[in-house]
Amino acid sequence: MSRKGRKVLKKIGRILLLVPVLLLSAEIRFVASIDRTEVEIGEPVILTVIVEGEDLGQIPYPKLPDLPDFNIGGTSTSQSTSIQMAGGKSIRRQLVNFIYTLYPRSVGETVIGPCELELSGEVYRTKPIGMKVVKGGAVPGQPKSAQAPLPSVSGDDVNGNLRLSAAVNRRSVYQGEQVVVEYALYTRLRLADMSLGELPSFNGFWVEPIFDAQRIEFQRKTIDGVLYDYCQLKKTALFPMSSGQLRISPMKLNVAVLQSPRDFFDFFGTTKTVVIESDPLVVNVIPLPVEGRPGDFTGGVGEFSIVSSLDRTSSEAAEPITLTVRITGSGNIKLVERPTIPDIPGVRILDPEINEDVRFAENRIQGYKEFNYPLIPQTDGEHAVPAITMAFFNPEERRFETVSTRALKFVATQTSSAVELAQSGGLKVTGSDIRYIKPDVKRLSSQPMSAGWWLVFPYMATFVMLGASILYRRHQARLISDRAYARKVRSSKLLKIRLNEVKQHLMKNREKEFHAALSRVLLGYIGDRYNLEVGALTNEGIIQELRVRQVPAETIKDLEYLFNQCDMRFSPGMKCDDPRMLYEKTKALIAKL
Amino acid sequence: MTAALTYAFLVFLQFGLNSTESYRRGNAYYEQGKYSEAIVAYEQASKEINNGGVYYNLGNSYFKRGMLGKAILNYRRANFLSPRDSDIAYNLNFARNYRVDKISSAQSPFMNLLSEVLHSVSLFEAQLLTTILFMVSVFFLSVLVVYRRKAAVYMLAASIFICLFFFISWLSWRAEIEGSHAVVVAPEVSATSGPGAEYKEILLVHDGAEVSVRETRGGYALFQLPGGVGGWVPTDALEYIF
């Protein structure tokens, strides 16, 4: 092949290699745009970065270029996915808009640099966008650039003519103490439309709404000599449930501001949507003191009083009486738990029914919480409901206070008949009497009052049993660990068997076998008794060993005699002594050993 | 020896027969409504034999005669021998509700339940069962000592637990006996602040009040009611339950 031909092939190869890359890159659209190229200082510029493609999976946030000339005031994303069927294949198209609100900081020409997106190893870049920032219009005001560059401090908008304010009445409270948070809109602009972007989140608070605007109705209000249209949007009482720094995230509003017409033909004017958000709020919550916390503290923080009452003063036939304990006051009344009712002897106290009602007055959540306890008398007579106490924390005084009710009394009658009536299933009980005597019996058995002195025997028996078991256990343990002991124990059993054998031979007058067996008895027993390897020793050796073990000389002599007699079976013609005598002697010897 | 045994048996039988005899007589009187005669017969029977039924019938007879103190006393004795007898428990409770002095026991429901459970066996039964369970426990302990089986541990724990229950029952009965419990049998008696009629009267008690005697001195006894109040009364105004 010629050189040129090779070059062509290389080129084709390169193109072929590029094809999949091209295909892939063709699938992703990554562009940035701004809503206008010329803005006044303080006005927002909306930068939209679009990522579009097929089966992209999780799309990361694009990396914005350094924007020294802008403050970034809020980010939002919108995403749409469509699934198309094409050629039996489903294609998932994704479109993500990343929307940034930018506030120019200085006047002049500026460039928004390329945004970067890294997706499955590839890096995509948008084109840089140029724009122009011009001086502010008629309304004088603090330029945005003078503000701190925090994005969250973007409540001031459109040169301070539009503001969403958030305020708490107190920055530092006790846990459970009331905080009122208020959101209001201030504007000097004509607003065409308004919608809620995001509600503030009150994590860590018990929320008691006070006011939620249903309609936007502006009132006039002068602040620092400037007249604003003012509208209260939301007012809520919050009761912190935990201590520490609790953060309330800002509220966000989308406001369409009416622009003044540019020329005659722009008759209706244009609107411009701005996102305004309130400042985030932080409330410092102090935990309630642990010291001096009374036992009957039920979580109340504020100022409360307690009253108890009975709906009747007498109960017939175990009819329930309602004990009402009412806690009235201001504070976290809904969080107050039920006070403990002391036990009333002869009265059953059922679980209470709870009523509550709160309203907002004099800048406080106030109201009552009522616990209705049904009391069921179990015994006749006058029952006293003791004073019920409740402790709460008074944040004004910074101490716990205890309030209590007065003691009450009621009279119960005919409780037992009611119980009987209930038990007999609605039968009419006309009277009551003791039960009849026990009938005749054939023989009366005497029932002992208590057991006699003989009761000690079983206990003694148990000690014997326990002692025996411990001894047996020790014996077992020794059998395993102590070889000599094991041999000794085994020998007594073997001895019996062997002696029996000897006796059998003796009875049947089999002299030879008798002597052999007798020898086995002696050797075996001595071996086990003194833990000797008798098989490896001669008779003299055994006797030597026994002497070492200080066996009495007389016994050894007997043993020697027996050994000799047994050995006589090997020398024919020699007459042994009487086998019966030998047998008895052996037994006597073993007893001695 | 045999003769002596036979004699003993005959004596025993005689007693048994006698008490059965007086018991029958008492029942007959009771049926006829002759409660005073029934009381005499039952008292005779109760001297000869220790039986919950006899005390129960005696209590009934006293109750019918309106002698509440004596009735409660005998129901208590019957209850001691046969604690699971519902008739006895019912009549004891019934008689208690008839008392003039309403003494509410300040015991919590839990304590009442506990006492009821512990007193579901009589003292004798508690003693026997404690002993048997003790033997069973020692048996399992022995099994554990010898065989070292895990199952024996569980059995041992279970038997010790049950044994302890009966032992506590035993102790609680003993405490009851040693608490010198008595019942006021005089229809109405004034308690004084010291052992003698010359002391100041401080309390009026009626028959049926169940008290515990703290001490006796010269024919007077210092009693205490469950609530803690008490005073001195002549000893014949009271009768010990045990």
Side-chain angles (χ1 to χ4, degrees):
Chain A
M1 201 181 278
S2 72
R3 207 187 153 127
K4 204 177 176 182
R6 223 178 283 160
K7 242 183 187 173
V8 169
L9 269 179
K10 250 187 194 170
K11 255 188 186 168
I12 292 167
R14 227 178 257 164
I15 288 162
L16 279 175
L17 271 173
L18 274 173
V19 164
V21 178
L22 284 171
L23 278 173
L24 200 75
S25 53
E27 271 177 2
I28 291 185
R29 196 161 74 90
F30 182 57
V31 289
S33 63
I34 51 175
D35 59 340
R36 54 217 153 119
T37 53
E38 198 177 315
V39 291
E40 288 178 4
I41 191 155
E43 268 186 326
V45 183
I46 307 296
L47 169 68
T48 308
V49 182
I50 299 165
V51 183
E52 194 181 3
E54 287 167 8
D55 290 322
L56 297 176
Q58 186 67 40
I59 298 165
Y61 269 80
K63 204 176 134 207
L64 286 186
D66 282 341
L67 294 166
D69 297 336
F70 296 92
N71 286 328
I72 301 167
T75 313
S76 68
T77 60
S78 74
Q79 189 161 3
S80 67
T81 307
S82 65
I83 295 171
Q84 288 176 331
M85 299 298 291
K89 241 174 71 178
S90 69
I91 299 161
R92 193 162 155 266
R93 281 199 79 77
Q94 278 169 285
L95 172 75
V96 186
N97 290 318
F98 296 96
I99 300 150
Y100 302 90
T101 313
L102 306 177
Y103 296 95
R105 287 169 139 194
S106 54
V107 178
E109 298 262 342
T110 183
V111 173
I112 297 171
C115 304
E116 281 180 20
L117 180 75
E118 207 179 319
L119 197 66
S120 50
E122 295 274 337
V123 178
Y124 303 90
R125 280 192 188 81
T126 59
K127 283 182 192 153
I129 306 160
M131 64 176 292
K132 199 174 167 189
V133 182
V134 295
K135 262 201 157 169
V139 189
Q142 216 176 19
K144 182 76 198 169
S145 55
Q147 294 273 324
L150 274 173
S152 58
V153 194
S154 61
D156 261 344
D157 194 15
V158 199
N159 286 352
N161 288 327
L162 183 60
R163 199 154 67 89
L164 179 59
S165 83
V168 284
N169 65 339
R170 304 186 58 187
R171 290 268 171 202
S172 177
V173 288
Y174 276 103
Q175 188 176 330
E177 202 185 344
Q178 175 191 287
V179 186
V180 178
V181 62
E182 226 172 320
Y183 293 90
L185 182 70
Y186 292 84
T187 180
R188 296 190 61 186
L189 303 172
R190 286 193 297 151
L191 304 182
D193 195 11
M194 187 162 28
S195 66
L196 190 67
E198 206 176 299
L199 269 177
S201 76
F202 303 120
N203 288 335
F205 293 93
W206 173 272
V207 181
E208 201 66 60
I210 300 165
F211 173 74
D212 276 301
Q214 302 295 320
R215 265 199 319 239
I216 304 297
E217 277 177 11
F218 285 104
Q219 292 168 324
R220 290 284 165 99
K221 199 170 182 177
T222 312
I223 295 170
D224 292 337
V226 183
L227 195 65
Y228 282 94
D229 278 330
Y230 156 83
C231 171
Q232 194 181 48
L233 298 176
K234 189 175 177 65
K235 190 173 182 182
T236 299
L238 303 174
F239 297 96
M241 307 275 278
S242 58
S243 58
Q245 301 273 337
L246 293 185
R247 195 175 174 277
I248 303 167
S249 70
M251 184 191 234
K252 283 182 190 164
L253 279 182
N254 303 321
V255 184
V257 182
L258 221 54
Q259 302 289 98
S260 46
R262 299 229 172 121
D263 53 42
F264 182 74
F265 298 103
D266 192 4
F267 186 73
F268 295 103
T270 52
T271 62
K272 187 176 70 170
T273 301
V274 289
V275 178
I276 53 173
E277 70 180 80
S278 65
D279 294 342
L281 300 167
V282 174
V283 179
N284 182 32
V285 183
I286 309 160
L288 295 182
V290 181
E291 262 180 44
R293 185 180 293 189
D296 50 358
F297 176 64
T298 52
V301 176
E303 223 175 341
F304 303 99
S305 62
I306 187 167
V307 177
S308 68
S309 62
L310 294 169
D311 62 343
R312 277 170 299 137
T313 54
S314 66
S315 151
E316 230 177 72
E319 216 180 327
I321 286 185
T322 306
L323 168 66
T324 303
V325 180
R326 190 178 178 136
I327 297 164
T328 319
S330 60
N332 58 348
I333 189 106
K334 279 190 177 176
L335 297 179
V336 173
E337 282 168 39
R338 64 162 105 154
T340 43
I341 307 283
D343 272 346
I344 308 169
V347 176
R348 236 174 83 203
I349 305 168
L350 303 184
D351 278 347
E353 184 196 315
I354 300 168
N355 294 324
E356 54 190 8
D357 189 19
V358 293
R359 73 204 131 74
F360 188 76
E362 291 159 20
N363 218 20
R364 280 171 172 283
I365 290 285
Q366 41 186 258
Y368 69 88
K369 192 163 183 177
E370 219 175 42
F371 302 85
N372 297 311
Y373 293 87
L375 305 182
I376 298 173
Q378 306 277 298
T379 54
D380 284 354
E382 193 182 59
H383 296 288
V385 179
I388 298 151
T389 61
M390 185 199 79
F392 61 89
F393 185 74
N394 189 333
E396 312 285 332
E397 306 285 340
R398 299 175 179 214
R399 62 184 163 87
F400 288 98
E401 284 177 19
T402 304
V403 285
S404 78
T405 66
R406 283 189 316 177
L408 301 166
K409 274 178 183 173
F410 68 92
V411 178
T413 47
Q414 294 170 24
T415 49
S416 56
S417 67
V419 169
E420 266 181 25
L421 201 69
Q423 278 168 355
S424 58
L427 291 175
K428 196 175 180 198
V429 178
T430 52
S432 60
D433 196 5
I434 52 168
R435 292 190 188 170
Y436 195 62
I437 52 166
K438 301 262 173 207
D440 284 350
V441 282
K442 284 227 169 68
R443 267 268 312 280
L444 277 179
S445 62
S446 184
Q447 289 171 301
M449 288 278 279
S450 67
W453 56 272
W454 50 264
L455 205 65
V456 298
F457 287 125
Y459 289 95
M460 280 156 76
T462 59
F463 283 117
V464 171
M465 184 157 75
L466 194 60
S469 66
I470 289 167
L471 286 180
Y472 183 72
R473 175 72 207 169
R474 277 173 64 181
H475 161 77
Q476 291 285 330
R478 254 186 105 181
L479 276 185
I480 293 162
S481 62
D482 190 344
R483 195 160 156 273
Y485 179 76
R487 283 189 78 165
K488 229 185 262 180
V489 170
R490 199 183 42 161
S491 74
S492 63
K493 273 185 205 160
L494 275 175
L495 184 70
K496 249 185 210 161
I497 296 163
R498 283 172 181 157
L499 272 176
N500 214 26
E501 199 183 340
V502 172
K503 207 173 180 179
Q504 291 290 319
H505 295 308
L506 182 69
M507 296 290 202
K508 288 170 187 164
N509 267 335
R510 284 183 298 215
E511 253 182 52
K512 217 168 194 151
E513 285 86 352
F514 167 75
H515 282 115
L518 196 65
S519 167
R520 272 206 302 279
V521 166
L522 282 170
L523 289 176
Y525 182 72
I526 287 164
D528 287 341
R529 172 73 177 80
Y530 296 102
N531 196 18
L532 292 174
E533 288 302 324
V534 285
L537 289 171
T538 60
N539 286 352
E540 283 71 32
I542 289 167
I543 283 159
Q544 197 63 40
E545 284 285 341
L546 290 188
R547 281 215 181 93
V548 171
R549 278 150 220 252
Q550 298 188 331
V551 177
E554 203 181 321
T555 317
I556 290 173
K557 218 172 123 192
D558 284 348
L559 186 65
E560 262 178 306
Y561 165 73
L562 284 171
F563 276 154
N564 286 334
Q565 288 293 323
C566 288
D567 285 348
M568 269 181 200
R569 70 178 189 273
F570 300 119
S571 36
M574 295 277 275
K575 186 76 190 89
C576 295
D577 294 343
D578 177 24
R580 196 166 291 276
M581 187 271 282
L582 286 181
Y583 175 68
E584 290 303 327
K585 225 176 168 125
T586 308
K587 270 171 89 174
L589 182 77
I590 282 167
K592 266 187 218 161
L593 283 172
Chain B
M1 179 71 185
T2 329
L5 268 182
T6 316
Y7 176 73
F9 180 71
L10 278 177
V11 166
F12 172 77
L13 208 62
Q14 191 69 14
F15 261 115
L17 284 176
N18 261 347
S19 58
T20 312
E21 175 35 41
S22 0
Y23 180 65
R24 284 209 181 116
R25 202 142 38 82
N27 285 356
Y29 282 129
Y30 190 95
E31 277 162 26
Q32 294 160 26
K34 293 176 180 171
Y35 300 121
S36 303
E37 287 86 346
I39 288 169
V40 175
Y42 287 137
E43 284 283 8
Q44 179 66 28
S46 74
K47 276 187 194 103
E48 288 155 359
I49 195 163
N50 222 14
N51 185 287
V54 176
Y55 286 118
Y56 170 79
N57 288 3
L58 183 56
N60 272 7
S61 308
Y62 275 122
F63 186 84
K64 288 290 179 193
R65 291 272 289 108
M67 297 165 79
L68 209 53
K70 283 277 195 183
I72 288 175
L73 179 79
N74 284 292
Y75 288 141
R76 285 286 299 266
R77 285 174 178 162
N79 179 253
F80 179 77
L81 292 171
S82 311
R84 288 184 301 282
D85 191 311
S86 61
D87 292 336
I88 295 171
Y90 179 87
N91 281 7
L92 175 58
N93 195 39
F94 194 91
R96 276 174 175 164
N97 283 336
Y98 256 74
R99 287 188 294 211
V100 179
D101 305 320
K102 301 285 180 216
I103 302 151
S104 67
S105 73
Q107 266 190 339
S108 67
F110 173 73
M111 287 304 290
N112 279 335
L113 183 72
L114 186 71
S115 154
E116 205 169 296
V117 169
L118 284 176
H119 290 167
S120 60
V121 287
S122 71
L123 172 62
F124 183 67
E125 287 164 340
Q127 286 175 325
L128 271 192
L129 288 167
T130 304
T131 309
I132 291 167
L133 264 301
F134 187 81
M135 289 179 82
V136 171
S137 305
V138 173
F139 170 75
F140 283 120
L141 184 62
S142 302
V143 169
L144 184 65
V145 164
V146 174
Y147 296 106
R148 311 266 156 132
R149 291 283 153 78
K150 207 164 191 184
V153 179
Y154 299 132
M155 301 302 284
L156 177 65
S159 52
I160 286 177
F161 184 78
I162 304 168
C163 179
L164 271 181
F165 170 80
F166 289 122
F167 187 59
I168 293 167
S169 169
W170 177 351
L171 290 184
S172 77
W173 275 122
R174 278 246 73 92
E176 192 117 308
I177 290 172
E178 275 153 23
S180 313
H181 289 286
V183 179
V184 175
V185 289
E188 187 181 298
V189 62
S190 290
T192 52
S193 63
E198 67 277 16
Y199 289 93
K200 195 177 175 203
E201 287 179 8
I202 51 171
L203 192 68
L204 192 66
V205 283
H206 297 87
D207 57 346
E210 288 160 280
V211 300
S212 61
V213 177
R214 309 282 296 197
E215 69 175 290
T216 53
R217 200 184 285 267
Y220 273 79
L222 173 62
F223 74 86
Q224 197 174 32
L225 286 165
V229 291
W232 294 84
V233 288
T235 39
D236 54 7
L238 301 172
E239 195 166 332
Y240 287 101
I241 296 168
F242 307 113

